[in-house]
Amino acid sequence: MRVLVADDHDLVRVGLVMVLDAQPGIEGVAEARDGVEAVSAARRLRPDVCLFDVRMPGLDGIEAARTLAGPDVDDPLPVVVITTFDLDEYVHDALRAGARGFLLKDAGPDLLVQAVHAAARGDALIAPSVTARLLSTFAARSAATPTEPVVPLSDREEEVLLAVARGRTNAEVAADLYVSLSTVKAHLTSLMTKLGARNRVEVAMWAHETGRVDG
């Protein structure tokens, strides 16, 4: 798995690459010091995952994510945003821009590796410590009121929706609901189709924005 790391702080960037390189099957294929350099390298190398800091000079991580993974991108690249800030409006913007995950820089190597793997397989991961608070806070600030899907959600889809919004993994949802992993994935696919969501992050955001999850 080839990962591009972009961060304007040399020590942080080098540290992230060292953590990733130490994992079997993961290679830090390139480094970038700002968003412009990151976008150029990503388009040239087509890495499996891009790991972007939120705040970078020239072009920040949000705009870099939108350029590579936004709604209008035909062949989006998986982008994970990593930041120092626990509750930062940039994070919400990054997820809206198409990022598949959000981590704090103090999350630790295990969660970093999990996020990279999740993004590479088309899933998404948000740091569990901030998932509910982050999404519910910005849902309350959202100017637009999300509409209900044309085809109503089934009772089971509502259960899966709530679990995903609370940061549960597919395996945890399967255990909680006493169903198979493939069944959870099928429900999640159906949810994304009905809600017009591209990934589980957008599914979770919709749940919070419609008031289905409190905090």
Side-chain angles (χ1 to χ4, degrees):
M1 186 187 307
R2 300 159 65 249
V3 182
L4 165 65
V5 178
D7 194 300
D8 58 320
H9 293 94
D10 291 346
L11 287 177
V12 174
R13 187 181 64 256
V14 171
L16 291 170
V17 172
M18 289 179 63
V19 169
L20 295 173
D21 280 342
Q23 305 301 316
I26 299 181
E27 173 191 6
V29 70
E31 300 178 33
R33 294 177 175 82
D34 59 56
V36 174
E37 187 179 339
V39 169
S40 176
R43 285 174 168 168
R44 183 178 71 255
L45 299 172
R46 300 294 299 180
D48 298 300
V49 178
C50 299
L51 184 64
F52 290 167
D53 183 23
V54 172
R55 294 180 174 176
M56 294 187 291
L59 187 71
D60 63 34
I62 296 171
E63 290 305 317
R66 183 175 289 110
T67 300
L68 298 172
D72 298 328
V73 178
D74 292 332
D75 189 14
L77 286 170
V79 176
V80 174
V81 168
I82 186 166
T83 179
T84 303
F85 307 99
D86 192 352
L87 189 60
D88 192 329
E89 64 182 6
Y90 288 148
V91 176
H92 183 265
D93 292 341
L95 298 178
R96 285 295 192 196
R100 288 187 182 172
F102 159 57
L103 291 178
L104 299 176
K105 289 183 179 178
D106 62 359
D110 290 344
L111 200 58
L112 173 64
V113 173
Q114 288 179 43
V116 169
H117 278 292
R121 64 175 180 262
D123 209 335
L125 185 149
I126 302 177
S129 61
V130 299
T131 299
R133 188 182 74 252
L134 175 74
L135 294 176
S136 61
T137 297
F138 284 104
R141 297 180 186 177
S142 179
T145 302
T147 58
E148 293 291 327
V150 175
V151 180
L153 304 185
S154 68
D155 290 342
R156 183 62 88 184
E157 286 170 346
E158 289 279 2
E159 291 177 327
V160 172
L161 173 69
L162 292 179
V164 169
R166 292 181 174 121
R168 306 291 281 172
T169 66
N170 285 354
E172 289 170 338
V173 176
D176 292 344
L177 300 181
Y178 301 101
V179 297
S180 68
L181 187 58
S182 60
T183 296
V184 173
K185 291 179 179 177
H187 285 309
L188 188 54
T189 298
S190 179
L191 279 169
M192 288 189 287
T193 299
K194 289 183 177 181
L195 303 180
R198 299 196 309 166
N199 52 53
R200 69 190 294 123
V201 174
E202 293 183 359
V203 168
M205 291 172 71
W206 185 87
H208 282 272
E209 289 172 343
T210 54
R212 282 169 163 79
V213 181
D214 297 321

